[in-house]
Amino acid sequence: LAADSATLRLTNQKNGWKGVCINHHVNGDSYYCPVKALTRRFLHIRDHSGDTDLGICAYFNNGTKYDVNDDDIRQALKFAGKELNYPERGIPIERIDTHSLRGGGANALSLAGYSDRAIQKMGRWRSATFLEYICDQLSAFSEGMSKSMSKVLNFVNIEGGVSHDVTTLAINTAYTNAATA
């Protein structure tokens, strides 16, 4: 397979959009690549059926066709949450659902530095409601802040038309007052 990307046309989805396309590129991973995963789905269906109208949710087991549905995904997510000890990490299993994938995807893209517009397009959101899913990690914002805050800046006080550098006074006063308190 030499494809470097794959495009899916969604014939129907919960928000009522029909015919919307999503595209993923090869990510370099040997197994968790969306293009390779889609190829595996296509080959599985082709090897077990001649029906060209089957969706990628179809799978075959011992010659019998089944379809993955939202409840199957929900159960798999809850199982994974239990296996990963989410309750011990403060994440109740009851809160894990299929929307966890949308929220997690939006968060991952945000933390990776993608723009709100790119996230909105990739998630097929019509409005800014996707922002409710993004829980910015404090560490993403605070990196380098303590270093910047410890940098000595020159303060100037302009009083009565005369400027005075009060940097030393301002820095030392805080420490002197704290030490005597």
Side-chain angles (χ1 to χ4, degrees):
L1 175 72
D4 62 355
S5 69
T7 301
L8 291 174
R9 180 178 303 276
L10 305 176
T11 56
N12 194 11
Q13 54 186 331
K14 186 175 146 181
N15 65 8
W17 280 9
K18 296 186 185 303
V20 175
C21 292
I22 58 172
N23 180 273
H24 278 286
H25 289 267
V26 170
N27 66 13
D29 191 275
S30 60
Y31 187 76
Y32 297 106
C33 172
V35 177
K36 290 181 181 183
L38 184 58
T39 302
R40 287 191 301 272
R41 296 295 318 125
F42 172 79
L43 293 175
H44 174 82
I45 293 167
R46 186 191 67 185
D47 290 348
H48 291 88
S49 174
D51 186 349
T52 58
D53 291 328
L54 288 179
I56 62 168
C57 62
Y59 70 97
F60 296 83
N61 189 10
N62 294 324
T64 304
K65 178 195 162 286
Y66 299 92
D67 289 308
V68 174
N69 60 42
D70 61 331
D71 194 51
D72 296 326
I73 303 295
R74 185 177 295 106
Q75 288 178 25
L77 289 171
K78 290 180 184 291
F79 176 80
K82 288 175 188 171
E83 290 295 307
L84 294 168
N85 299 317
Y86 275 18
E88 288 82 10
R89 298 177 185 191
I91 304 170
I93 295 299
E94 311 81 65
R95 296 209 45 211
I96 300 172
D97 209 327
T98 54
H99 254 70
S100 301
L101 297 171
R102 288 180 64 76
N107 265 319
L109 290 172
S110 178
L111 290 171
Y114 284 88
S115 70
D116 288 350
R117 179 171 164 73
I119 296 168
Q120 185 177 6
K121 287 292 209 181
M122 187 64 174
R124 301 170 322 280
W125 279 283
R126 292 184 189 191
S127 69
T129 56
F130 73 95
L131 293 171
E132 294 175 20
Y133 293 116
I134 297 176
C135 303
D136 295 316
Q137 300 298 317
L138 183 58
S139 62
F141 287 105
S142 64
E143 184 177 349
M145 281 186 176
S146 62
K147 185 176 182 179
S148 295
M149 290 188 307
S150 67
K151 183 178 178 182
V152 176
L153 301 172
N154 291 325
F155 295 95
V156 176
N157 185 16
I158 302 176
E159 184 179 310
V162 179
S163 66
H164 303 282
D165 184 344
V166 294
T167 305
T168 305
L169 177 65
I171 291 173
N172 290 336
T173 300
Y175 293 117
T176 303
N177 290 344
T180 59

